[in-house]
Every structure is written in structure tokens, then in C-alpha cells.
């Protein structure tokens, strides 16, 4: 029998934002401003670093990129993060060198315990290793490691680790005659 959720009993037990409330509040105010197409990538990177992100050199961070908590983000050298990517990092996201995170990608470190009536968090970090490419609108869920030089195809849903050099592709639409 399915568990009956009692969302009013949710406590967020065990979740740590990683910074005091005033810092979190400041980020919530600043983050939407950084998404503007008028803000250069170099300024986005500088502001993220000021809030505690570890970001290497040669990183291109396009407009409309959402980052939940910058202090839980580590990006290597020479990476690209495409327009509209969402790094929902309730837990750490680590991105290696020469990684491409394409347009509209979702990296989501958060979830909930489906069998817990209080629906408490079930979060885990994400790691994207050197040379990986996560293509447009793909989704990578909590606890996953994308291996070195792996390719995650457009719109793929990744729920478990991807081996180094592997290619994970979403199902393709089939054309059927009428």
C-alpha cells in the first residue's frame, strides 16, 4: 500500500544550506540579476567566486544559467555552461575540466524520500568528470557521476552513473505510416 504523505510534517532534517541566512538571502537577490543577457560571463564568474564557488580559468557561463547555491559549486578549467542550464545544487556539484553543459540541462542534486510520510530530503552530489558533454535538455539526477569523456545525449534522463567514454542517448521518436 502506498505511503500517505503528510507534507505538514516535513522538517528538512539533515539538510544544510552551507551558509548563514543573510548570505543565502543575498544570493537570492543577486542570482536573478546575473542571468541577464547583458551581464558578461566574466562578471558572472567573478560574482560566483565572491559567493564561494570554485571556478577555474576559461569558463564560459552563458546567460539565464540558474545556480542554487554557489558555495556548493566547483567548476574546472575551460568549461562551457549553456543558456538556460539549471544547476540545482542542494548538495555539491563538481564539474571537471573541458566539460560542456549544453542549453537547458538540469543537474539536480535534490530529491525526497518517497516512502517517508514527511517527504524528507534524499539529496546527493553530482560529479561530471573531465571532457564529458551533457547535451541539450538532458537531466542528471542526484548521486550520479558522469565519467570522463562520456556523452549524455539531448533529452536523456540519467539516474545512475555513466562509465567513462560511454554514450547515453534518449529514445528516438519513431515515424509510423498512417
Amino acid at each position: 500500500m502506498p505511503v500517505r504523505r503528510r507534507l505538514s510534517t516535513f522538517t528538512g532534517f539533515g539538510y544544510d544550506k552551507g551558509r548563514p541566512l543573510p548570505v543565502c538571502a543575498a544570493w537570492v537577490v543577486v542570482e536573478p540579476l546575473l542571468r541577464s543577457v547583458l551581464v558578461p560571463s566574466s562578471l558572472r564568474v567573478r560574482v560566483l567566486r565572491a559567493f564561494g564557488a570554485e571556478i577555474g580559468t576559461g569558463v564560459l557561463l552563458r546567460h539565464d544559467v540558474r545556480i542554487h547555491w554557489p558555495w556548493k559549486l566547483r567548476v574546472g578549467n575551460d568549461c562551457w555552461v549553456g543558456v538556460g542550464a539549471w544547476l540545482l545544487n542542494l548538495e555539491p556539484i563538481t564539474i571537471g575540466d573541458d566539460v560542456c553543459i549544453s542549453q537547458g540541462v538540469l543537474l539536480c542534486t535534490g530529491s525526497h524520500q518517497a516512502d517517508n510520510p514527511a517527504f524528507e530530503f534524499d539529496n546527493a552530489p553530482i560529479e561530471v568528470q573531465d571532457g564529458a558533454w551533457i547535451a541539450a535538455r538532458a537531466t542528471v539526477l542526484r548521486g550520479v557521476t558522469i565519467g570522463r569523456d562520456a556523452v549524455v545525449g539531448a533529452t536523456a534522463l540519467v539516474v545512475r552513473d555513466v562509465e567513462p567514454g560511454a554514450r547515453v542517448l534518449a529514445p528516438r521518436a519513431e515515424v509510423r505510416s498512417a
Side-chain angles (χ1 to χ4, degrees), residues 29-150:
V29 170
V30 169
E31 190 268 345
L33 302 173
L34 293 180
R35 289 192 243 152
S36 170
V37 70
L38 302 176
V39 176
S41 175
S42 59
L43 179 57
R44 287 187 194 99
V45 168
R46 284 197 311 271
V47 172
L48 284 163
R49 285 178 182 145
F51 274 93
E54 295 179 36
I55 301 177
T57 60
V59 172
L60 177 61
L61 190 68
R62 299 298 306 266
H63 65 279
D64 201 28
V65 172
R66 295 177 65 182
I67 296 169
H68 195 76
W69 299 132
W71 46 88
K72 293 189 176 192
L73 178 63
R74 184 179 198 161
V75 180
N77 297 318
D78 303 313
C79 293
W80 298 346
V81 181
V83 174
W86 187 5
L87 309 181
L88 183 50
N89 58 335
L90 299 173
E91 300 300 331
I93 291 178
T94 303
I95 298 170
D97 296 334
D98 296 302
V99 170
C100 179
I101 307 291
S102 291
Q103 299 82 355
V105 165
L106 170 61
L107 303 181
C108 182
T109 66
S111 190
H112 294 275
Q113 299 171 20
D115 294 331
N116 180 318
F119 210 46
E120 295 296 347
F121 284 124
D122 183 15
N123 302 340
I126 291 173
E127 180 181 0
V128 183
Q129 295 178 348
D130 295 350
W133 173 26
I134 304 177
R137 298 191 63 188
T139 298
V140 178
L141 297 183
R142 58 139 180 73
V144 167
T145 296
I146 305 296
R148 182 182 192 99
D149 299 319

Side-chain angles (χ1 to χ4, degrees), residues 16 30 53 162:
D16 179 10
V30 169
V162 175

